[in-house]
Amino acid sequence: MPAELINKYMREAHLPHIWCPGCGHGILMRDVAQAIEDLGLDQNKICLVSGIGCSSRAAGYMDFNTIHTTHGRAIAFATGIKLARPDMNVIVIAGDGDIAAIGGNHLIHAARRNIDMTVVVFNNDIYGMTGGQFSPTTPTGDFATTAPYGNIDRPFDIAALAEAAGASYTARGTAYHAPLTIKLIKEGIEHKGFSLIECASVCPTYYGRKNKKGGSVELMTWQKENCVMSDKAQHMSKEELEGKLVIGRLSEKDYPEYTEQYKKIIEKARK
Amino acid sequence: MSKRVLMQGNEAVVEGAIAAGMRFYAGYPITPSTEIAEQSSVRLPQVGGTFIQMEDEISSMAAVIGASVAGVKAMTATSGPGFSLKQENIGYACIAEVPCVIVDVQRSGPSTGLPTSPSQGDVMQARWGTHGDHPMIAVSPSSVSECFYKAIRCFNLSEKYRTPVILLMDEIVGHLREGVEIPSVLDVEIINRTVKSSEGHQPYEGDIHEIPGWHLNGGGRYNITGLSHDLSGFPTNSNEITDKLIRRLMGKIEHNADDIIEYEEKYLDDAETVVLCYGGTVRAAMSAVLEARKQGVKVGMFRPVTVWPFPERRLKEISPKVKRIIVAEHNYGQIVLEVERIVKNDCKIDFIGKVDGTVITPAEILKRIKEGK
């Protein structure tokens, strides 16, 4: 029940949130709460880490051990927390600019180490907090306040970037596909190692308006009509996948996990 | 019982830090501080701690703060270029009141500069390197033995006042090797942060200069942020609450200055000239002062061990009683500005500054002592 979920996992004194009407972030925050509820995790054993930007305000709203860090550095703070307290479930909530631009280095290196944490990216393809500048995931040709003649940058595929860097679990959900996204976040949390769930959010205020793509309903209708499940996408050609967003579990590998490996170092050093 | 060993300054820092309870180190290789990372990688797992070599200086500082909020004493070490990169997160530790120790083994700058040459060019950066008004403690050791004990002191101050503390070394001391007594039973007190763990407790609550007590999973589910926050740790836009916060942050250091500040004095009783220096420069200055004394010159030495906060009150007591203060430092003139601000017209101020990457020699200081006599 949504009300029970709010009572249990939200800090009601700090609501309402600052997100704009129609923003996808509220749905994604709820998905994180639902995944934690479904897994029956102890709230005291969860450490929620965020960076700076619209998405990172989620940390203040959710009733866990929460830390709202500096821009781009959430994963680096989370690495210290996880190494100090390997028994904690460390979850990072980050935005696309936060994690793929200023924090890109930390993303690829945490993925390479395969340190046990779950990164949930609220990807709205734009810098929302600062008023609609293009981000590393803004599609080429789209408009933003700093791309007034159209964006010439090529966008990152954050999930593919993480996979290539060594993440042992990657997936993609959307604000529209809530039950799927909840399932993917659950899988990510249960997965031992570095897991990343890229969640396509919607930003009607800046992205939608600047690109004349409509409001929240239109943006989410696009998600509804243009997403393809990963198992189905495997059998589709490049042409058929043009303009589509592949969702679902994207990769799962069995790599050694960093804190487990470090335990062995301690054993060796103490002999 | 203690054992006497030949040790490098950088190594002694690690031993001191471990004795103080450091169980987490995150860093990135940089000359001339690298031995601190290397030694930490050897020693920390031996005591059940964790060493991690991060992808850059920024993440090293972030991971240190992360480990500390999770309740583990944590340290990083760097030099000029890396110290610049760490500054944003040092400011985070200031406002969120996260204890941690940052070692800066100063080298010649700016930029890449002379990476293997000594300098004291980061003194003002240590004080004001991160943006905004913030408190800062910086401690400057002059010998290998002090590297051990001042590392402990940095952790103690950091835990007690819940603030980042800078162990402001220089290449002279970092790479110095000398005999040092390492006690088998520690002869100094180790301070651990107070953690108020009762439910319903406000993490930042307390009177104006009180030190907060929390860490993640310390009992309540706290929120930590670099935004201006209220006593509960949640963001606020209130000007009144922000004013209170900044004044408390500054005040917790200012009002405890007597506990924090440490200085050393030599031959001040009849001194007409005082050499003021800190860190590695103290060694040359002491040698010059002893030689001048032999030659009958009434000269003494004043040495801030705690560079920040600066021992302002003590210097103000000394300055009217002497004719001249010679400030010697390996930079274009940084602490001398602080001395001028404090001393004003009480006595003459002389300055020896070096920016060529070589050390100030005892002969240079001796010459200046005798010139102005």
Side-chain angles (χ1 to χ4, degrees):
Chain A
M1 288 292 287
E4 283 168 23
L5 208 61
I6 290 170
N7 288 340
K8 191 166 172 189
Y9 296 110
M10 299 294 154
R11 289 161 164 155
E12 286 182 76
H14 300 282
L15 295 174
H17 57 64
I18 63 159
W19 298 320
C20 306
C23 174
H25 287 8
I27 299 171
L28 296 172
M29 177 167 75
R30 179 210 188 273
D31 293 348
V32 173
Q34 186 69 58
I36 289 165
E37 168 68 12
D38 290 356
L39 291 171
L41 301 177
D42 178 354
Q43 271 166 280
N44 291 319
K45 286 282 185 163
I46 292 173
C47 190
L48 188 65
V49 188
S50 70
I52 295 291
C54 294
S55 65
S56 32
R57 288 307 183 101
Y61 304 137
M62 302 187 84
D63 192 7
F64 305 108
N65 299 290
T66 55
I67 175 163
H68 175 227
T69 69
T70 49
H71 194 27
R73 318 303 171 198
I75 289 178
F77 276 75
T79 299
I81 292 166
K82 185 67 190 180
L83 284 167
R85 290 291 304 271
D87 59 313
M88 294 275 260
N89 276 301
V90 177
I91 301 170
V92 173
I93 290 182
D96 41 309
D98 202 29
I99 206 152
I102 190 165
N105 203 27
H106 314 312
L107 168 66
I108 59 174
H109 287 278
R112 175 178 63 82
R113 289 183 197 108
N114 194 36
I115 185 163
D116 186 29
M117 62 176 69
T118 304
V119 179
V120 183
V121 185
F122 290 10
N123 179 7
N124 58 6
D125 295 342
I126 204 93
Y127 284 89
M129 187 70 90
T130 46
Q133 298 76 32
F134 69 90
S135 87
T137 58
T138 306
T140 310
D142 276 1
F143 294 91
T145 56
T146 47
Y149 307 107
N151 181 27
I152 59 169
D153 281 29
R154 291 190 300 155
F156 260 144
D157 176 334
I158 297 175
L161 174 67
E163 184 191 348
S168 50
Y169 177 95
T170 61
R172 188 179 292 111
T174 78
Y176 175 78
H177 299 87
L180 170 74
T181 305
I182 293 163
K183 176 178 155 271
L184 297 172
I185 296 170
K186 274 161 64 178
E187 286 184 4
I189 294 171
E190 283 194 301
H191 177 83
K192 188 88 184 154
F194 188 88
S195 54
L196 179 137
I197 300 96
E198 183 187 344
C199 304
S201 188
V202 293
C203 176
T205 304
Y206 293 112
Y207 180 79
R209 202 156 56 181
K210 199 81 191 169
N211 289 288
K212 302 194 168 50
K213 289 191 178 176
S216 194
V217 173
E218 288 75 18
L219 290 167
M220 273 198 259
T221 304
W222 184 93
Q223 291 181 344
K224 179 187 174 190
E225 291 170 353
N226 291 282
C227 287
V228 181
M229 284 299 292
S230 53
D231 48 358
K232 195 180 163 198
Q234 280 181 339
H235 308 291
M236 288 167 73
S237 69
K238 209 179 161 192
E239 289 71 33
E240 286 171 313
L241 285 170
E242 187 66 36
K244 303 285 181 194
L245 189 66
V246 179
I247 57 172
R249 192 193 307 152
L250 301 173
S251 72
E252 196 166 14
K253 312 253 175 61
D254 186 22
Y255 297 142
E257 193 278 320
Y258 195 83
T259 59
E260 291 294 329
Q261 293 301 100
Y262 202 83
K263 269 184 207 156
K264 293 178 194 164
I265 294 283
I266 293 176
E267 283 163 24
K268 244 187 226 176
R270 288 189 138 172
K271 263 180 196 163
Chain B
M1 273 294 286
S2 66
K3 67 177 178 198
R4 188 163 176 82
V5 288
L6 181 68
M7 201 180 261
Q8 190 197 49
N10 281 346
E11 290 170 7
V13 167
V14 177
E15 292 308 319
I18 287 174
M22 170 182 73
R23 291 297 179 270
F24 184 85
Y25 179 98
Y28 186 82
I30 185 166
T31 303
S33 76
T34 306
E35 295 85 359
I36 299 175
E38 289 172 342
Q39 191 65 9
S40 296
S41 76
V42 174
R43 293 284 288 122
L44 275 171
Q46 290 173 353
V47 294
T50 305
F51 164 88
I52 185 168
Q53 182 170 312
M54 293 297 285
E55 55 274 14
D56 57 32
E57 297 278 2
I58 298 169
S59 54
S60 305
M61 192 63 231
V64 159
I65 298 170
S68 182
V69 299
V72 175
K73 290 187 184 178
M75 181 175 94
T76 186
T78 189
S79 185
F83 195 44
S84 296
L85 287 166
K86 290 187 192 299
Q87 293 297 336
E88 185 196 3
N89 283 334
I90 292 175
Y92 184 93
C94 288
I95 195 169
E97 298 179 76
V98 183
C100 54
V101 174
I102 303 102
V103 186
D104 175 26
V105 187
Q106 297 169 90
R107 68 188 219 188
S108 280
S111 189
T112 314
L114 291 171
T116 57
S117 297
S119 165
Q120 294 178 315
D122 306 351
V123 184
M124 282 297 170
Q125 187 184 21
R127 178 63 194 90
W128 294 114
T130 196
H131 59 278
D133 289 310
H134 59 275
M136 194 48 70
I137 299 175
V139 177
S140 191
S142 296
S143 67
V144 174
S145 172
E146 276 195 359
C147 287
F148 179 85
Y149 284 103
K150 297 311 164 197
I152 296 173
R153 183 145 205 275
C154 285
F155 270 98
N156 281 348
L157 290 170
S158 170
E159 292 285 314
K160 186 169 180 185
Y161 295 108
R162 295 192 74 99
T163 193
V165 174
I166 291 162
L167 182 59
L168 191 63
M169 312 246 295
D170 46 55
E171 196 273 345
I172 302 171
V173 174
H175 280 166
L176 182 72
R177 280 182 196 277
E178 59 186 355
V180 42
E181 300 279 338
I182 298 291
S184 51
V185 179
L186 205 59
D187 44 1
V188 290
E189 185 198 2
I190 298 299
I191 299 173
N192 297 309
R193 69 190 76 170
T194 332
V195 178
K196 302 166 187 167
S197 60
S198 58
E199 283 282 352
H201 194 95
Q202 302 251 64
Y204 292 93
E205 86 181 11
D207 285 337
I208 185 76
H209 300 125
E210 236 179 83
I211 320 295
W214 54 263
H215 61 63
L216 291 181
N217 211 23
R221 290 190 292 271
Y222 297 139
N223 183 58
I224 302 163
T225 179
L227 284 166
S228 192
H229 48 267
D230 59 19
L231 301 181
S232 70
F234 284 89
T236 177
N237 283 326
S238 157
N239 305 110
E240 196 191 329
I241 293 170
T242 301
D243 183 76
K244 242 181 165 171
L245 169 66
I246 299 300
R247 289 182 193 285
R248 184 177 61 75
L249 288 178
M250 301 304 280
K252 73 178 178 181
I253 304 303
E254 277 175 19
H255 289 255
N256 293 295
D258 288 346
D259 178 50
I260 296 165
I261 288 173
E262 213 187 356
Y263 50 80
E264 192 188 355
E265 302 176 349
K266 295 277 188 203
Y267 313 114
L268 285 192
D269 289 348
D270 63 343
E272 291 172 355
T273 297
V274 173
V275 181
L276 189 151
C277 54
Y278 52 92
T281 317
V282 170
R283 307 175 72 88
M286 201 53 228
S287 176
V289 166
L290 289 173
E291 182 55 34
R293 278 270 160 190
K294 267 189 213 160
Q295 297 177 23
V297 185
K298 288 183 175 167
V299 58
M301 189 183 72
F302 181 67
R303 171 207 169 198
V305 179
T306 315
V307 177
W308 303 117
F310 194 81
E312 178 167 349
R313 208 177 64 197
R314 182 61 189 141
L315 181 61
K316 196 65 188 164
E317 287 165 0
I318 296 167
S319 57
K321 296 178 193 159
V322 301
K323 289 183 182 161
R324 185 171 58 132
I325 293 173
I326 304 170
V327 179
E329 51 183 337
H330 285 95
N331 55 48
Y332 196 70
Q334 297 194 16
I335 279 295
V336 70
L337 300 174
E338 189 69 1
V339 174
E340 284 167 358
R341 182 184 71 78
I342 296 161
V343 170
K344 296 195 172 68
N345 296 319
D346 294 346
C347 67
K348 190 174 173 248
I349 296 167
D350 244 358
F351 174 64
I352 304 173
K354 251 191 170 179
V355 289
D356 62 357
T358 63
V359 293
I360 299 174
T361 63
E364 286 170 286
I365 299 174
L366 181 64
K367 188 166 172 261
R368 189 65 70 91
I369 291 170
K370 288 162 76 179
E371 267 172 12
K373 199 172 85 118

